[in-house]
Structure formats: C-alpha cells, structure tokens
Amino acid sequence: MFAILKRELSAYFTSPIGYIYLAVFYFFSGFYFFAYTLLQNTTNLTNVFIMMFTIVTFLIPILTMRLMSEEKKHKTDQALLTAPISLVALVMGKFLAAVLVFAMGVAIMVVFGIVVACFATPDWAVFWGNVVGMLLLGAALIAIGMFISALTENQVIAAIGGFAVGISLALIDSLTSLISVSWLRSVVDNLSFMTRYSDFTQGMLNISNVLFFVSVCAVFVFLTVRVFEKQRWA
Amino acid sequence: MIEVQNLIKLYGSKRAVDDVSFTVKKGEILGFLGPNGAGKSTTMNILTGYLSSTSGTVTIDGKEILEDPIEAKKRIGYLPEHPPLYLDMTVKDYLGFMYDLKKIKLPKKQHIEEICQVVRISDVYDRVIKHLSKGYRQRVGLAQALLGTPDVLILDEPTVGLDPKQIIEIRNLIKSLGEKHTIILSSHILPEVQAICERVIVINKGKIVADDTPDNLSRAMSTDHKLIVRVDGPEAEVYKLLSKIPGMEQVNTLGQREDGVYDYSLEGEKGVDMRREVFKRLAERNWAILGMRSSELSLEDIFLQLTADSAEDTRANLGGEK
C-alpha cells in the first residue's frame, strides 16, 4: 500500500495536476479569505469554508480522473494486479494519496487561521471543526471520483462523470423542495452533502455527519475494489 | 512447479481457453506457441492472476492462484504483452516502485543494479521511460519481471518489436535465465521457440494441440523416410540409378539447380535408411553429392499441419484484421 501511495504522490507532482490543483485551491481560498474575513474585519473563517464547497466539488474530479483510468489505458494495472498485494491495499493506497494531496490544499486554511490569530483569537473549536468537515467532504468526493475513474479508460470521461456527480450532489438541496412524498424527501435530504457539510461550518460536530462521510468513503472504496474484481471475471 | 488443470475461460459464449491442462517442472523452459488470438495471452493472464478462469485451477509451487494469491504472485515475475511501464517515471524510480510493490527483501540498490546489468539497461538508468526506444522499454519490462528473482518467469512475446540484434540478445538472456528460473514464454515465431525452449505447447483456438519437445514434434510428424539429394550428374542416369536402390519407393526430380546439378526427392520404405546406399552408388559412378538432407518437417510445417483445421477461420480472421 505504501509503495502505491508513494508512487501516486510523486505522480501528482511529476505531472502538472498536483500543482494546478494546489494553485487553484490556494487562489480561490485566498480570494475568499480576503473578501470574507480580512475585508470584513472578522476572525470568522466560516464563510471561506462555505464558499470552498463549490470549488472543492469542481477540483476533486481533477485529482481523481487519472487515478484508475490511466492504469487501464497504459496497461500498468497488469503490474499492480499481478503483484503480491491485495486489491484493498491497492485501492486504499490510491485513495489515501489523493486525500493527502487534497489535504495539502486544505492546509492553507491553517495558515489563514494563524494569520487571523495574529490579530485576535479566532474560535478555534469552530475552525478545527470546519477543517475536519472539509477533509471529510473531500475524502468522500475523492472516493466517488476514484470509483468513476475505475469505470473508464478515459480521463476526460472520468472527470466529466466526477463533475456531474458533484453538481448533482450540490443540486440535491433544491430538489428536495420539489418532492412531495415525505419519506422520499427525507431520504434525499439526508444524502445532501451540502446540508451535512454546513453543519460543520456552523460549528456542530455531529457524529452522524462524520459517520455519513466515512461511510461514503467506505462504500466507494469497496465498490472500486469490486470493479477490479469484476474485470477479472469478465 | 506450475500445475494447470482443466483451465476454461469463457468470454460470453466464446471459449478463449478450452480445457487446458499442463505441468511445468522446475527449471524447464516451456514455449507457448499459437497463432494470433489462440488464447496464449489469456492463459498467461490467468496464470499470473490478472484474470480469473471460468473454471479450472492454477497452482504455482503448491499455492493456488485464487485461493492464496499473494503467496502465489510472490513467486511469479510477469512480462505482459505490453510492458506495464509508467512512462513519466525514470527507470530508476520505476524499478524502485516495483521493488517496493513486490515487497522484496533483498538489498534494494544492489539488487536493482544487478538486474539492470543483466538486461543491459544500466546506461539508461536515469532516463525517463517515455524517452526510451521500444527495445529498451521491453528490457525495462523484463527487468521488472526479474525483480526479486522469482522462481517462475512468465514472458508474453518477449521479443516482439525488437530489432534482430536485440532479439538474439534477449533470447540468449532468457536461455541463461532458464538455468535458475522456470520459464513460460509465448510466441508466434517458430524459430524462436525452437531456439529457446526445451518443450513446446502448441495452442490453437484455446485448445492444446501438441505438447512435446521441438525435436520430438518434428520427428513424430515426419511420416515417411524422405530424403532430398542434390547430385552433380546426368539427370536421366542418376534417376535410373537411384530408382534401383533396394527399398526405394519413389524418386522424383525436383529440377535443375546449377549447371548439370539436379535435386531429387527420394521416398523409401518405412524404417529403411537409404543414406549410405545412396552415397555408395553415386560414389561408384563418380557423381558428387552436393547436398543431402532428410525432409523432416520443420516446426513451421508442424505448426501449419496442427492448426490446419482452423486454417479457414484464420484466413477469415486475417481478412477481418486488415
């Protein structure tokens, strides 16, 4: 697993993808930090985290698009699948590599926190809750993106699939009001990434939300493993 | 070392591998021969655990590939048809990654350097794989398979796309590796298999059609004792002389080769060796024999003969591919 993790990390930064992701993440978070925190004369970083939701949904497919599809295209999956490692270790290695690169982006938030702390003490509990929420959101989206990437040999399709899922998840909230069946509405409501994420931004560390994002990760890691299993039997 | 039993692989209703069974002993070099699309690569992919068989078992050194995949895979070095190379890595990084991936315990730097010397890629050690030629890429693929000196090497068309000099190099390399490793290699080039392998399995349309040493195969297939002789002497008289040899059943003139030199094909009774008699009689008349060979079938002929049933299909397929 660590061999794969290491290789994926270096692959992010031998190609421009890792740098582009970080640059875009830093640019937008920096902009929002300036507009919503510095300019407002507040120590509250919550608005920055809320605004980053959309940016994250759009950036994560960039991180995940080549994760699995490229292996298939260049037939390097043959080396991975005939190596003495389990499929779970293979998938987890890739998943963790993407999460780590994502976390490098999120790390800028900590810098913002420190900058604010130079002038006044921010609400650290809320701040760290926000960071945890963003990491969980990212991890869940990465798991979904990785799964989509495993379904195709084409990076572009993987990226577009990732965008489509991300946008749909963001749209869920406007959908719920249109659903008249109450139980169906509550099901869809509970699937909303935005609702669950905004709990974090409001400073609530709800265990059910944490479990929700962790389960999404687990389910899609599992499904990715199944995709590889299925390919062997096809 | 390798035991394959009743391997079947279905792609939909198509039988890519159809009830294939064989065993390979330790230290043996086995050639897998067959036309394109015969099921060679599929079989190899199943042997290495990349694909699962529909039914049947593969055992590597006592470990079943599906039941104990990690232990079985540790014993295999695999060079697939397309070497699984990460083009954006340097040879050094790539081999380092594969070393870690295979969880090898040998001293890392030394081990990788040794293998690079064996396959002669030390001079491109720090180059990015993307910029390497096909021959070098193939060798990097081979180096990757050799990492950890696995007991079993499975090489899918290892010399494809190489220039003649490289082909000879790689063949010699495989031969020398055969002293320590058990090797299965596939090819559709007959002389290659004949040159390297101690044993040949001919596979066609997913089925094994022959399994023997290259020599035995050609011997078993040559039905009658046939000779081809090239003689310097007057055609009609030589013909008459040859026909009179006891046990001779048929003599045919194959035509003039040089000035006054003719080829004859001789077919004797089964089990009669006519070579000495032919020599003596021609020598008495002072007609020089410029060449004599028994017309044993070459592996090429055997191959064509064995796969003849499907010649029609093959032709159709070839048409399709074009």
Side-chain angles (χ1 to χ4, degrees), chain B residues 207-309:
Chain B
K207 281 200 171 87
I208 292 183
V209 287
D211 179 356
D212 215 329
T213 64
D215 294 344
N216 273 349
L217 268 181
S218 20
R219 215 170 293 144
M221 297 295 287
S222 60
T223 43
D224 294 303
H225 205 97
K226 291 181 186 170
L227 282 181
I228 292 178
V229 213
R230 180 168 292 180
V231 184
D232 182 2
E235 188 192 359
E237 286 175 59
V238 172
Y239 181 85
K240 218 191 278 175
L241 181 86
L242 289 172
S243 308
K244 280 186 200 151
I245 295 175
M248 186 67 72
E249 283 193 330
Q250 207 183 346
V251 179
N252 288 314
T253 312
L254 298 176
Q256 187 164 351
R257 298 300 175 208
E258 293 161 41
D259 198 21
V261 176
Y262 294 86
D263 273 11
Y264 306 88
S265 88
L266 315 177
E267 203 175 326
E269 282 170 23
K270 243 180 208 173
V272 179
D273 190 352
M274 305 167 298
R275 289 173 298 182
R276 287 171 190 80
E277 199 61 25
V278 169
F279 171 77
K280 271 184 211 158
R281 294 195 178 214
L282 289 168
E284 276 167 18
R285 304 290 296 268
N286 230 355
W287 290 325
I289 297 177
L290 301 180
M292 184 195 295
R293 61 185 169 94
S294 57
S295 72
E296 256 179 52
L297 292 172
S298 73
L299 210 46
E300 219 113 29
D301 300 317
I302 298 166
F303 182 67
L304 288 174
Q305 210 158 317
L306 286 169
T307 56
D309 311 335

Side-chain angles (χ1 to χ4, degrees), chain A residues 3-4 6-7 10-11 14-15 71 74-86 94 231-234, chain B residues 9 11 45 48-53 66 70 73-74 78 80 82 84-86 88-89 97-98 100-103:
Chain A
I4 296 200
K6 209 173 106 189
R7 199 208 85 79
S10 76
T14 47
S15 70
E71 301 276 358
H74 294 301
K75 312 237 180 222
T76 41
D77 58 336
Q78 269 185 321
L80 301 182
L81 295 178
T82 57
I85 54 161
S86 68
K94 296 214 162 225
Q231 260 157 23
R232 299 170 73 197
W233 293 98
Chain B
K9 177 74 183 175
Y11 284 125
N45 278 334
T48 52
Y50 178 62
L51 292 175
S52 308
S53 55
L66 289 178
I70 295 193
K73 285 172 183 175
K74 266 186 192 165
Y78 181 34
H82 304 271
L85 305 174
Y86 291 99
D88 53 0
M89 289 174 109
F97 163 64
M98 290 307 293
D100 292 341
L101 190 69
K102 294 185 177 190
K103 297 174 189 152

